[in-house]
Amino acid sequence: MSSYQKRTKDELAQRIAQDIPDGAYVNLGIGMPTKVANHIPADREIVLQSENGILGMGPAPEDGQEDYDLTNAGKQPVTLLPGGSYFHHADSFAMMRGGHLDICVLGAFQVSATGDLANWSTGEASAIPAVGGAMDLAVGAKSTWVMMDLMTKTGECKVVQACSYPLTGLACVKRIYTELCTLECTPQGLRLIDLVDGLSHAELEAMVGLPIATA
């Protein structure tokens, strides 16, 4: 019987942070992706952008040092690194739509094997649509990465052959980072980048229900 340990949310954030190259301009989406800011390697200059108008965003402040005039798009208090700035919302969206971001890290409800993204609505009548800047980021950033749990709370895989939820963008996701594996989305389907110790390739394919090519 397989024995594996899932990545914690912080381990997953650290896994993503280690893949961000030096000099990159990066947007971190609301929710889980905001944790990535706390794990940026000290030897890299990575400039974080927040859609509510921050460039040069730092990690979360220490307890008691919060400044609620300085928050990210999820209304969480953040810090501003030396040389950082804040500006009008419209300028922030011009930055996002103009192709000035190298990477955006977003949460998702579903991602298809070829990189279609659904992350703003489940389509349920009781759900509150929350598109925010996701559509602008998905098509405006040079590379879109998704950070999410692989499975739903009811045991369904969020990586699918075709999204059943309303789409945010088509073929925009390049990588999927989860608590069990890292996957690449290609026009030919999924490719495995890594998986946690103790989990086999065959077991992962059984969970996902789709073929996953190896490097």
Side-chain angles (χ1 to χ4, degrees):
M1 184 162 177
S2 179
S3 176
Y4 58 85
Q5 186 71 37
K6 295 179 181 179
R7 295 165 176 152
T8 66
K9 296 292 190 293
D10 280 307
E11 287 171 342
L12 181 53
Q14 187 176 37
R15 173 67 187 85
I16 295 170
Q18 76 181 30
D19 278 356
I20 301 175
D22 191 43
Y25 284 75
V26 182
N27 177 285
L28 302 177
I30 295 171
M32 285 171 56
T34 60
K35 286 184 173 291
V36 176
N38 299 329
H39 297 278
I40 299 297
D43 61 346
R44 287 184 217 166
E45 184 178 15
I46 293 168
V47 182
L48 299 181
Q49 188 256 14
S50 181
E51 66 199 65
N52 58 321
I54 304 174
L55 194 63
M57 184 172 65
E62 296 181 7
D63 290 342
Q65 300 299 312
E66 298 90 348
D67 177 359
Y68 283 93
D69 286 328
L70 184 60
T71 63
N72 62 23
K75 300 181 178 63
Q76 298 169 312
V78 295
T79 54
L80 195 67
L81 299 179
S85 61
Y86 45 92
F87 37 84
H88 195 279
H89 211 142
D91 295 320
S92 181
F93 270 74
M95 190 180 297
M96 291 153 53
R97 294 168 179 165
H100 303 290
L101 295 176
D102 296 299
I103 298 167
C104 69
V105 184
L106 301 174
F109 295 128
Q110 288 179 331
V111 181
S112 80
T114 53
D116 296 343
L117 173 65
N119 81 338
W120 68 278
S121 174
T122 59
E124 296 179 7
S126 60
I128 301 173
V131 66
M135 290 182 179
D136 306 271
L137 288 164
V139 300
K142 295 172 186 174
S143 188
T144 297
W145 297 354
V146 161
M147 177 184 185
M148 67 178 188
D149 291 328
L150 182 63
M151 315 296 286
T152 67
K153 292 178 180 179
T154 54
E156 298 166 323
C157 188
K158 294 183 181 182
V159 179
V160 295
Q161 183 64 46
C163 295
S164 58
Y165 295 152
L167 289 177
T168 305
L170 289 169
C172 55
V173 177
K174 298 296 187 292
R175 292 184 185 179
I176 306 169
Y177 292 84
T178 79
E179 78 282 18
L180 295 178
C181 62
T182 308
L183 301 170
E184 180 182 6
C185 297
T186 77
Q188 293 75 41
L190 299 169
R191 187 181 73 84
L192 182 66
I193 297 176
D194 66 39
L195 71 173
V196 296
D197 291 340
L199 180 66
S200 72
H201 180 254
E203 287 172 317
L204 180 63
E205 280 191 320
M207 287 180 186
V208 176
L210 296 170
I212 303 173
T214 55

